[in-house]
Amino acid sequence: MLLFVIKKGAENLAADHLSRLENPHEGDFKKKEINETFPLETLRMITFHGDSSTTWFANIANYHAGNFVVKGMSSQQKKKFFKDVKYYFWDDPYLFKICADQVIRRCVHGQEAVDILTACHNGPTGGHHGANYTAKKVFDSGFYWPTIYRDAHDMVKSCDSCQRQGKISQKDEMPQNAIQVCEIFDVWGIDFMGPKREA
């Protein structure tokens, strides 16, 4: 079922355009009267309270898109909901969040979030970095979901390439010898990386 939620006074150019198209099957169907009464007030809802199969931001999107608040919340839940909802805004068809660093990021969920995390971790611009850096790359790409750090940590833990590589320890570093300088340009030093080749 496709659901369009339009704010009062807003133009819907797509619906206007679709309504002007000719119907090639116009004579195939019997004309029926449209029943515009809805028996349930929850028919417009994207989610029911406590349903885990829906998006994490469905209630926030309902509030911003249609000024609809889920019934059955306790006073504490309502207080938290209205405290959190002020950091989000709806720009059809996406929900955006104004994050703590004042950057606006698009809210994502489900498989889209997994695909974004995968691309930031081991995509062409990835690099199999740690969980925090991978999450930072997602934020820098302009996306948000509340469990991003936990999801990035789980991805790094399950990444075969990352688990085989291990961490770089101090024993892997080359020793550095400091050059003591008395006067500027008194001592010149060159650092070599790797074996010296004869020409």
Side-chain angles (χ1 to χ4, degrees):
M1 181 176 140
L2 187 59
L3 177 67
F4 289 99
V5 179
I6 301 170
K7 292 182 178 179
K8 287 184 179 179
E11 291 184 13
N12 189 343
L13 300 176
D16 291 343
H17 176 70
L18 290 172
S19 68
R20 291 187 187 101
L21 294 176
E22 292 183 24
N23 185 1
H25 306 288
E26 195 169 329
D28 297 346
F29 301 105
K30 296 178 184 177
K31 290 194 174 191
K32 290 187 177 180
E33 204 172 302
I34 297 173
N35 182 9
E36 293 194 20
T37 60
F38 294 107
L40 297 172
E41 65 179 21
T42 57
L43 193 60
R44 290 181 35 198
M45 291 179 55
I46 296 173
T47 182
F48 290 103
H49 188 63
D51 187 1
S52 62
S53 66
T54 56
T55 65
W56 62 269
F57 56 83
N59 291 338
I60 298 169
N62 278 332
Y63 177 77
H64 282 293
N67 205 14
F68 189 83
V69 179
V70 176
K71 291 184 177 178
M73 284 196 283
S74 68
S75 61
Q76 283 295 101
Q77 289 171 326
K78 279 185 183 178
K79 188 175 180 181
K80 182 180 181 341
F81 177 76
F82 285 113
K83 181 182 170 223
D84 293 342
V85 80
K86 64 184 175 186
Y87 297 109
Y88 295 87
F89 68 92
W90 178 260
D91 188 18
D92 198 23
Y94 298 114
L95 183 72
F96 293 89
K97 181 179 183 189
I98 303 168
C99 296
D101 57 358
Q102 301 304 312
V103 176
I104 298 171
R105 294 182 174 92
R106 185 165 71 87
C107 299
V108 294
H109 73 284
Q111 188 59 43
E112 185 179 13
V114 172
D115 293 341
I116 291 167
L117 197 59
T118 303
C120 288
H121 180 66
N122 58 359
T125 61
H128 293 277
H129 297 288
N132 290 340
Y133 191 76
T134 302
K136 182 187 177 307
K137 287 180 77 171
V138 172
F139 286 139
D140 291 345
S141 300
F143 299 103
Y144 172 81
W145 65 94
T147 59
I148 187 168
Y149 286 104
R150 182 176 51 199
D151 295 345
H153 188 324
D154 292 344
M155 175 170 278
V156 170
K157 267 190 359 188
S158 64
C159 178
D160 185 56
S161 176
C162 292
Q163 297 308 309
R164 287 176 190 264
Q165 180 180 353
K167 290 184 178 179
I168 297 172
S169 66
Q170 283 187 336
K171 68 178 183 177
D172 298 319
E173 296 177 359
M174 289 181 62
Q176 296 181 358
N177 299 322
I179 300 171
Q180 188 174 5
V181 178
C182 299
E183 290 288 326
I184 195 162
F185 299 118
D186 263 1
V187 180
W188 289 70
I190 300 173
D191 293 329
F192 292 99
M193 297 294 289
K196 185 178 174 185
R197 294 185 187 178
E198 295 292 328

